[in-house]
Amino acid sequence: MDIKSLIRDIPDFPKPGILFRDLTTLLRDPEGLRYTIDAFAQKCVEANLSPDYVVGIESRGFIVGPPLAYQLRAGFIPVRKPGKLPAAVHTVEYQLEYGRDKLEVHQDALQEGTRVLIVDDLIATGGTAKASADLVHKVGCNLLGFGFIVELQELEGRQQLPDLPIVTLVEY
Ligand code: AMP
């Protein structure tokens, strides 16, 4: 299946100069959704990625993470923006284009040695995925790799990430 044909390009969103790759049109398509998740899981298996938990990054990692976790027979753990998780959290701070931001995960969700796969819908600069990797490493987890439906190659986001397997389905 041609996944790209179901991804919609929106120029100048959310600000001038950004070409937004809109995956809602792919997710809306019954066959597109099924194929995408099945292919994503298949690629993870081929890359020998069998995590205890899929860690999804807010917010679009919450859309692709749970069905992938289900297919891999793993659990799902959300990494969220500050102040959203109700129990005690671990926090990581990271640099944005302008200013800084934080990501959080529940302290009791992850333990030392837990095997995790970090997923998001798309990798652009890699800053968010890198911060999530720092967060799970801080806890002492065994980070197995990363998964993204889309990679924006010219932004070289993968250079930011630790040297681990990265599964992607579509490259621009
Ligand atoms: P980054 O930290 O730069 O890799 O950005 C990753 C996050 O921003 C992902 O969760 C994406 O959903 C979103 N994102 C960044 N750039 C784009 C884009 N051109 N089209 C769609 N989503 C984007």
Side-chain angles (χ1 to χ4, degrees), residues 18-21 60 120-129 152:
I18 304 285
L19 180 59
F20 193 85
R21 306 293 184 177
R60 285 182 286 259
D120 204 350
D121 65 331
L122 176 148
I123 179 166
T125 65
T128 323
L152 304 185

Side-chain angles (χ1 to χ4, degrees), residues 69-172:
Y70 178 87
Q71 289 277 30
L72 297 176
R73 295 187 172 268
F76 176 77
I77 295 173
V79 162
R80 299 212 63 179
K81 308 265 169 67
K84 303 276 189 180
L85 290 169
V89 292
H90 293 297
T91 303
V92 70
E93 215 179 295
Y94 65 106
Q95 193 68 43
L96 291 174
E97 198 179 348
Y98 301 107
R100 297 181 75 74
D101 207 351
K102 288 180 186 169
L103 288 173
E104 297 182 339
V105 70
H106 271 147
Q107 283 182 9
D108 60 3
L110 294 167
Q111 285 83 38
E112 208 177 319
T114 304
R115 291 173 302 157
V116 305
L117 174 69
I118 292 176
V119 304
D120 204 350
D121 65 331
L122 176 148
I123 179 166
T125 65
T128 323
K130 163 75 166 64
S132 304
D134 290 345
L135 190 57
V136 303
H137 273 149
K138 198 166 152 179
V139 186
C141 288
N142 178 7
L143 177 58
L144 303 181
F146 300 86
F148 308 96
I149 307 290
V150 175
E151 177 178 12
L152 304 185
Q153 287 178 325
E154 65 182 11
L155 296 176
E156 298 184 339
R158 60 170 64 223
Q159 310 294 343
Q160 302 288 325
L161 304 182
D163 188 18
L164 291 168
I166 301 171
V167 167
T168 61
L169 291 184
V170 179
E171 292 83 30
Y172 289 96

